[in-house]
Amino acid sequence: MIPYGRQEIDDEDVAAVVAALRSDWLTQGPTIEAFESDLALMTGAEHAVAYCNATAALHGACHAAELGPGDLLITSSLSFAASANCGRYVGADVGFVDIDPKTLNLDPAAVPEGVEALVPVHFAGLPVDLTQLVHRPRVIIEDAAHAIGATTPDGPVGNCAHSDMTVFSFHPVKTITTGEGGAVTTNNAHLAERLRRFRHHGIRAVPDRGGWYYEIDEIGMNYRLTDMQAALGRTQLAKLGGFISRRHELAQRYDLLLAGLPVTTAPAAGAGFTHGHHLYPIRVQHRDEVFSYLRQNGIGTQVHYVPIHHQPAYASSASSHLVNTNEAYEQILSLPLFPTLTEAEQDKVVDTLADALAKSAP
Ligand SMILES: *Cc1c(COP(=O)(O)O)cnc(C)c1O
């Protein structure tokens, strides 16, 4: 089976993890801070705070922004559940705006007044244009789980030019990996401090009352990354540029190979933006048949995503306006895209898709 996504780990990555294992620190050590500095440098944000995964990082971001009961958090329903769950963790209400069918991103102009927080998801790695917001919520937390390495006219995603915080994921299917892992970037020192404290039980050291003494004003979690993971994150991050350019090559090759087939190819980035190409999502008629045929023939396609508002846990969220989201869900398929995908494998994906489309046509 050719999977839809896969990590690329080389000898340098392995050596970095082994060195961390043999060091004095397996967690809470200097490699964490070094990884955070690397992330801040790459994105251009002032602060980066590493977390054990992006789900925890989104929770930390909602806590840091002091979201809670009575607040409405809005996100895209065509996303992984974590984009919405973070609001529920802190007791906020969660709602959805519809996507723009051309970008598959939430439509910034559709974000209504009266929203406390927005979690724009850069779907497949294509950045949401946050300059197009008509109503700016108090808090904006970018879900950039797909979008490390993507850029906007303001620079790299994660620089928080138009947001309070940006969250990244380092799960193995994402563009760089730490096994499990995540991070939040921000230009706000107060938010960075709240993010660090929440990651570590809410603990605040009070040295004038003794070297051992600490206070907990607000309950936190243990959401720490390990030093082995941070070591892997550093060597992976150093290869980000290469990963992204290989993803671009493969995406462009898909665009060409698919040109003659009855499919809508993946949305391209607009002027001034570059794509992160985490996913290559196409749209087809008879998606269910095409999906089954691909899976039966060794192609690990996936549907990103079952809309969050279809989940029973979100049955109480208003959803009748999510017309474009529902329509996209009926047609969407992600084709395999990862740096070690070979051209021969890509040809096999396209040939199998062509067969599937021919067989599923009425
Ligand atoms: C993967 C993903 C997450 C969660 O990331 P984890 O690191 O696995 O917790 C959140 N949002 C989106 C859009 C994702 O794709």
Side-chain angles (χ1 to χ4, degrees):
M1 182 80 84
I2 303 172
Y4 83 83
R6 192 186 193 288
Q7 72 278 10
E8 182 180 343
I9 300 290
D10 65 14
D11 291 347
E12 191 196 1
D13 295 315
V14 172
V17 174
V18 170
L21 269 169
R22 295 205 163 114
S23 77
D24 292 339
W25 301 88
L26 299 187
T27 188
Q28 293 172 275
T31 314
I32 305 289
E33 280 168 36
F35 180 43
E36 291 176 338
S37 306
D38 292 351
L39 279 169
L41 198 68
M42 186 281 289
T43 56
E46 282 174 40
H47 312 273
V49 183
Y51 267 70
C52 57
N53 56 64
T55 304
L58 284 161
H59 184 191
C62 288
H63 167 86
E66 296 177 62
L67 295 169
D71 292 333
L72 176 60
L73 177 147
I74 290 280
T75 187
S76 172
S77 182
L78 194 70
S79 185
F80 186 55
S83 309
N85 290 349
C86 59
R88 299 276 286 267
Y89 296 156
V90 296
D93 295 322
V94 172
F96 304 101
V97 281
D98 205 5
I99 57 169
D100 174 338
K102 288 194 295 293
T103 62
L104 303 174
N105 277 331
L106 65 77
D107 176 5
V111 175
E113 236 176 327
V115 170
E116 190 70 5
L118 178 69
V119 178
V121 180
H122 305 308
F123 184 82
L126 179 62
V128 177
D129 186 355
L130 293 172
T131 64
Q132 298 303 307
L133 285 168
V134 179
H135 303 290
R136 284 195 78 81
R138 178 178 71 84
V139 179
I140 301 180
I141 302 165
E142 297 175 64
D143 182 341
H146 298 183
I148 197 164
T151 62
T152 76
D154 294 292
V157 166
N159 68 4
C160 302
H162 302 286
S163 69
D164 300 283
M165 290 172 271
T166 302
V167 172
F168 294 109
S169 171
F170 311 125
H171 181 277
V173 297
K174 308 292 162 72
T175 303
I176 66 165
T177 189
T178 60
E180 297 280 358
V184 189
T185 57
T186 182
N187 295 317
N188 181 318
H190 174 68
L191 291 175
E193 178 54 29
R194 286 182 61 78
L195 285 162
R196 287 184 201 288
R197 219 177 276 170
F198 189 71
R199 173 179 70 177
H200 183 54
H201 308 279
I203 284 176
R204 177 171 54 82
V206 189
D208 47 338
R209 295 191 60 180
W212 69 92
Y213 195 80
Y214 59 83
E215 278 178 1
I216 294 174
D217 309 304
E218 288 174 284
I219 306 293
M221 310 291 281
N222 176 354
Y223 278 164
R224 297 186 301 258
L225 194 73
T226 68
D227 281 55
M228 292 83 80
Q229 292 171 307
L232 180 55
R234 295 195 73 194
T235 50
Q236 286 273 299
L237 190 59
K239 291 187 273 267
L240 175 64
F243 289 160
I244 293 282
S245 51
R246 179 64 183 154
R247 285 175 177 274
H248 275 261
E249 271 170 33
L250 289 166
Q252 273 169 17
R253 196 160 179 273
Y254 268 136
D255 290 345
L256 289 174
L257 294 172
L258 297 174
L261 295 177
V263 306
T264 305
T265 51
F273 290 80
T274 62
H275 211 300
H277 284 306
H278 162 54
L279 298 174
Y280 191 88
I282 61 167
R283 292 176 69 157
V284 296
Q285 301 296 316
H286 313 288
R287 191 274 318 279
D288 298 6
E289 286 103 306
V290 174
F291 176 92
S292 302
Y293 186 89
L294 290 174
R295 281 285 185 97
Q296 281 157 17
N297 288 280
I299 311 299
T301 181
Q302 188 52 280
V303 173
H304 293 101
Y305 292 90
V306 179
I308 303 170
H309 74 274
H310 290 199
Q311 301 299 346
Y314 284 90
S316 61
S317 295
S319 61
S320 58
H321 59 298
L322 301 173
V323 179
N324 297 334
T325 302
N326 287 334
E327 198 178 281
Y329 170 56
E330 294 297 319
Q331 300 181 344
I332 206 156
L333 268 185
S334 297
L335 298 183
L337 181 65
F338 50 91
T340 55
L341 183 72
T342 64
E343 293 193 353
E345 286 173 325
Q346 197 179 25
D347 290 341
K348 185 184 170 199
V349 172
V350 174
D351 291 346
T352 313
L353 176 64
D355 289 348
L357 291 165
K359 288 198 166 60
S360 70

